[in-house]
Amino acid sequence: MSYQALYRVWRPQRFDEIVGQSIITRTLKNALITKQTSHAYLFTGPRGTGKTSAAKIFAKAVNCHYLKDGEPCNQCVTCKAINEGSLNDVIEIDAASNNGVEEIRDIRDKAKYAPTQADYKVYIIDEVHMLSTGAFNALLKTLEEPPANVIFILATTEPHKIPATIISRTQKFDFKRIKPQDILERMAYILDQKEVEYDDKALKLIAKAAEGGMRDALSILDQAMSYGDNKITYENALLVTGSVTNELLTTYMQQVINKDTKSALITIQKILDEGKDASRFIEDLTSYCQDILLYQQDPGIVEEMELGIIDDQFKTLSGQISDQKIYQMINELNDISNSLRFTAHPDVYLEVLTVKITHLDPTDQSNQASMPQPKRAVSAASTPEVNAEIQELTQQVAKLKAEVDELRQGSTAQPTPISTPEPAKASESHSMDNHIELAKIYPILGKATRKQLNQFKSVWPDLMDALSVPQRSVMHVSSPVAASAGGVIVAFQYAFLYQKAQADTDLKDALENNLDRIVGKAPQIVFVPENQWPDIRREYLTSHKDQLKKTGSQTKETTDPKADAADDDSEETPQPETDSQPVVKKAAELFGTDILDIKDD
Ligand SMILES: [Zn+2]
């Protein structure tokens, strides 16, 4: 018999076997027991969290005549046919490959006919966000006049792409990322059943690397099993996940905190010699830094979310390093990870990084002084040895920088001049990252008013209170910077938190839902990194100058001047006389007077 992937063999067949979604499965079972099922469901959540499994189990349960405590029997003809995928009345559609109107119209026509073999016809539409607008409209018509004995289960990883009209016709369930501990227990159960030996540490590593998805966890487990002879070892798990050991990370961090550049450089060399991937090291280190930040905020969060990282050394480290320094480190790591994508010489970048972060000065908020600062260091410890060391390191940095420049010039494959590890250049760089959603930002800026912005600012604390603790930890350095009636732009002080927020669709949903509750509307929310915000505004004002000149004189009437004055204490500052005065005025209305550095060219 050919080998079957673990996630197929161990796909849950009962609600109780779905890991980490007990609230959802209990609610569904209760609905089945009390016969209060809905005709349309929307299952949302990250991949591998059990949406499709739950949909299939539901399809069985609603049709099984031997239902017990809301669970299908998995023994009767109907259950078996559904498990084999041979029951005509349970129809699975992958919208990613069937996004046309015709397919959905076809569903609409066929849905009218009664089920042939089972009590209910169940349509499971996976990746439903991929449907075209026309297909959504056709689906909406069906949902508005639901045929008897037909149930739709829509599943998606991207609920923000589903029209509100569809969402309002469904009962919505948000599947959460599965906790590492739950993933670990499931993996251990499966391995016990298969009589495969395993190292606890190996499972912890895999559980963490799976990032909340059971399917990913089982795929990694499959790979680790193929390496080892019926045994899951820590070494194989490290190999498959490409992770750097916690010991090495802790050692490296300790050396960074001690400003022990030489030892830290040796550790980097050791990591690279072991064949570790430089990008993976940066990812692991970033995640380690985030764990420290979270741990400093609330040890409980990390204990709940992470596995195995909290040893005595981790606790000691957390007490030794300031959050400012961690934020600076994360910024540096972020810059490096961008550069690493385009280099064939990652070791040089890691060495430059090491020299830089062992010299970070946490008292400097601007993060400009990541290079060694002789004067400050001297005042801290003015001895000849320290001076000599600083001089040596300064030379070292200069040498490494020259090497990097040389490499960069030699490499023509480099597609864009993105930020370099050199701090001065990085901060001067005006090139905007291509992931900034200008197409969403410009329409908001076009209709932005101070009044709207003030409204969002005033409810922001309430909005933060409504979020979960991990979500709040991502959002706590964010603030609204511009707003119109239909949208709000939110800037993040730290690029890594911006990226985290950007990747988190649950977070955007939570923000929109809570705003809807608090202010009675759900505006579009767009995230930007704070350091790019001045450039975004400047480019917007430059590219819309003519338009703004025309409308500039009118907009004053539509905004509330009192709201301006209340929020902006620099209102009285005399404004520079330029021929683009209406633009300046409009800009001041949108953003306040702090951006009157518009170049009129
Ligand atoms: Zn059955």
Side-chain angles (χ1 to χ4, degrees):
M1 205 181 93
S2 65
Y3 183 78
Q4 269 203 301
L6 284 177
Y7 83 87
R8 284 189 190 282
V9 180
W10 294 88
R11 165 162 272 173
Q13 302 296 353
R14 298 159 44 83
F15 286 119
D16 283 352
E17 288 171 5
I18 295 179
V19 173
Q21 314 291 358
S22 55
I23 297 172
I24 293 174
T25 51
R26 204 182 314 139
T27 311
L28 289 174
K29 280 194 286 184
N30 284 341
L32 287 158
I33 293 165
T34 57
K35 299 201 184 301
Q36 290 180 318
T37 54
S38 165
H39 71 274
Y41 291 94
L42 177 60
F43 291 175
T44 70
R47 66 203 199 101
T49 49
K51 301 182 297 294
T52 322
S53 297
K56 279 195 187 163
I57 296 167
F58 187 88
K60 278 189 289 187
V62 80
N63 282 314
C64 178
H65 289 182
Y66 307 93
L67 196 73
K68 197 169 174 231
D69 302 329
E71 296 277 10
C73 76
N74 281 311
Q75 305 291 328
C76 69
V77 181
T78 314
C79 279
K80 280 185 173 163
I82 294 174
N83 277 344
E84 288 161 10
S86 61
L87 194 87
N88 291 331
D89 294 324
V90 174
I91 301 114
E92 279 186 74
I93 295 156
D94 179 11
S97 49
N98 293 287
N99 62 356
V101 188
E102 287 309 313
E103 279 81 359
I104 297 296
R105 286 216 181 110
D106 191 46
I107 292 177
R108 218 174 96 200
D109 295 340
K110 285 184 183 155
K112 276 185 278 195
Y113 303 111
T116 52
Q117 295 161 286
D119 299 345
Y120 288 91
K121 223 178 217 185
V122 183
Y123 286 96
I124 301 171
I125 308 182
D126 209 2
E127 301 298 343
V128 68
H129 63 271
M130 301 287 283
L131 291 182
S132 63
T133 310
F136 269 129
N137 286 337
L139 179 62
L140 183 61
K141 287 220 168 69
T142 315
L143 295 180
E144 278 169 347
E145 295 156 28
N149 300 331
V150 173
I151 295 172
F152 284 92
I153 304 178
L154 316 176
T156 180
T157 48
E158 301 186 47
H160 54 284
K161 291 186 182 163
I162 315 268
T165 44
I166 299 269
I167 294 178
S168 67
R169 303 261 165 204
T170 64
Q171 200 174 335
K172 186 166 172 256
F173 288 97
D174 297 322
F175 286 64
K176 302 292 170 214
R177 268 177 219 289
I178 307 168
K179 285 182 196 151
Q181 184 62 38
D182 291 338
I183 293 181
L184 180 95
E185 282 167 19
R186 178 72 176 164
M187 288 193 298
Y189 172 79
I190 291 173
L191 292 174
D192 285 341
Q193 298 292 307
K194 285 179 73 79
E195 297 184 345
V196 172
E197 278 182 65
Y198 56 87
D199 186 342
D200 277 333
K201 262 166 72 184
L203 291 203
K204 283 181 181 176
L205 191 71
I206 295 171
K208 207 182 163 191
E211 293 180 340
M214 185 57 86
R215 192 167 44 201
D216 283 354
L218 296 184
S219 296
I220 301 171
L221 196 61
D222 256 333
Q223 287 178 53
M225 254 163 59
S226 69
Y227 272 101
D229 188 20
N230 214 33
K231 188 168 190 242
I232 310 282
T233 64
Y234 185 54
E235 286 69 32
N236 287 339
L238 282 171
L239 207 64
V240 170
T241 57
S243 303
V244 178
T245 62
N246 257 327
E247 285 93 314
L248 270 178
L249 284 175
T250 308
T251 306
Y252 182 77
M253 280 297 282
Q254 192 65 60
Q255 288 158 344
V256 168
I257 292 172
N258 296 345
K259 296 185 184 289
D260 185 353
T261 314
K262 277 181 191 162
S263 306
L265 285 171
I266 293 168
T267 308
I268 283 288
Q269 205 47 57
K270 203 172 147 191
I271 288 167
L272 292 169
D273 285 349
E274 282 183 15
K276 297 294 178 215
D277 179 59
S279 301
R280 185 70 210 211
F281 169 71
I282 297 296
E283 267 173 44
D284 288 347
L285 195 57
T286 309
S287 137
Y288 196 96
C289 287
Q290 290 171 359
D291 287 341
I292 292 182
L293 273 183
L294 284 178
Y295 188 79
Q296 287 176 339
Q297 260 187 24
D298 179 355
I301 304 177
V302 183
E303 270 156 19
E304 193 188 325
M305 293 196 318
E306 308 296 337
L307 289 162
I309 60 152
I310 306 173
D311 50 19
D312 289 343
Q313 271 184 307
F314 177 85
K315 285 181 188 168
T316 314
L317 266 177
S318 302
Q320 283 175 331
I321 191 163
S322 72
D323 58 348
Q324 276 308 315
K325 180 153 177 166
I326 291 275
Y327 281 129
Q328 287 181 6
M329 271 190 68
I330 290 170
N331 278 340
E332 296 294 343
L333 290 169
N334 204 35
D335 281 352
I336 281 281
S337 72
N338 284 332
S339 311
L340 277 177
R341 281 183 291 162
F342 304 110
T343 180
H345 303 275
D347 49 336
V348 178
Y349 280 88
L350 290 193
E351 282 164 9
V352 173
L353 169 83
T354 303
V355 175
K356 274 170 77 177
I357 61 178
T358 46
H359 287 86
L360 283 178
D361 182 353
T363 57
D364 182 22
Q365 305 259 337
S366 69
N367 199 27
Q368 300 290 307
S370 354
M371 303 293 281
Q373 295 279 311
K375 271 184 196 159
R376 245 188 226 121
V378 168
S379 67
S382 183
T383 64
E385 297 90 76
V386 170
N387 278 333
E389 196 188 353
I390 287 164
Q391 221 169 13
E392 191 197 318
L393 287 167
T394 312
Q395 282 166 4
Q396 210 172 352
V397 173
K399 193 173 148 262
L400 288 165
K401 263 169 63 183
E403 270 184 63
V404 170
D405 284 346
E406 212 172 286
L407 287 168
R408 286 170 59 82
Q409 276 164 16
S411 143
T412 47
Q414 199 152 313
T416 47
I418 56 152
S419 61
T420 70
E422 192 182 337
K425 263 191 194 162
S427 60
E428 273 167 25
S429 160
H430 279 206
S431 69
M432 249 179 258
D433 289 357
N434 52 12
H435 54 78
I436 304 285
E437 300 171 298
L438 291 180
K440 289 183 185 168
I441 292 171
Y442 282 4
I444 297 177
L445 288 183
K447 290 182 176 167
T449 65
R450 288 296 282 179
K451 196 178 169 186
Q452 285 291 348
L453 179 58
N454 289 339
Q455 192 199 355
F456 286 116
K457 277 186 174 170
S458 68
V459 300
W460 212 247
D462 290 340
L463 181 62
M464 292 301 108
D465 283 346
L467 297 176
S468 70
V469 178
Q471 286 172 336
R472 220 179 303 149
S473 75
V474 173
M475 295 298 296
H476 83 286
V477 289
S478 74
S479 56
V481 288
S484 68
V488 53
I489 299 169
V490 180
F492 285 78
Q493 207 178 334
Y494 299 106
F496 89 97
L497 288 176
Y498 158 75
Q499 285 178 342
K500 233 181 144 122
Q502 193 72 343
D504 189 345
T505 52
D506 283 354
L507 176 64
K508 268 194 186 171
D509 284 348
L511 288 171
E512 285 173 3
N513 289 340
N514 283 303
L515 270 180
D516 193 11
R517 196 173 48 74
I518 298 169
V519 297
K521 60 185 170 195
Q524 183 171 43
I525 296 175
V526 186
F527 297 146
V528 296
E530 199 175 271
N531 63 352
Q532 307 234 13
W533 180 231
D535 288 343
I536 296 170
R537 297 187 302 200
R538 195 176 297 115
E539 296 216 352
Y540 173 78
L541 291 171
T542 314
S543 62
H544 292 68
K545 201 158 68 179
D546 293 342
Q547 198 185 330
L548 289 168
K549 268 185 196 169
K550 273 180 232 142
T551 59
S553 50
Q554 302 158 14
T555 46
K556 199 69 194 166
E557 295 150 27
T558 61
T559 55
D560 180 358
K562 278 177 201 146
D564 274 297
D567 191 61
D568 204 341
D569 51 12
S570 56
E571 181 82 354
E572 302 307 317
T573 318
Q575 298 183 355
E577 288 291 323
T578 70
D579 64 343
S580 59
Q581 197 66 14
V583 179
V584 174
K585 221 186 256 172
K586 174 68 181 170
E589 283 165 23
L590 296 184
F591 315 118
T593 45
D594 57 322
I595 56 138
L596 295 178
D597 57 340
I598 312 157
K599 301 270 189 311
D600 193 37
D601 51 13

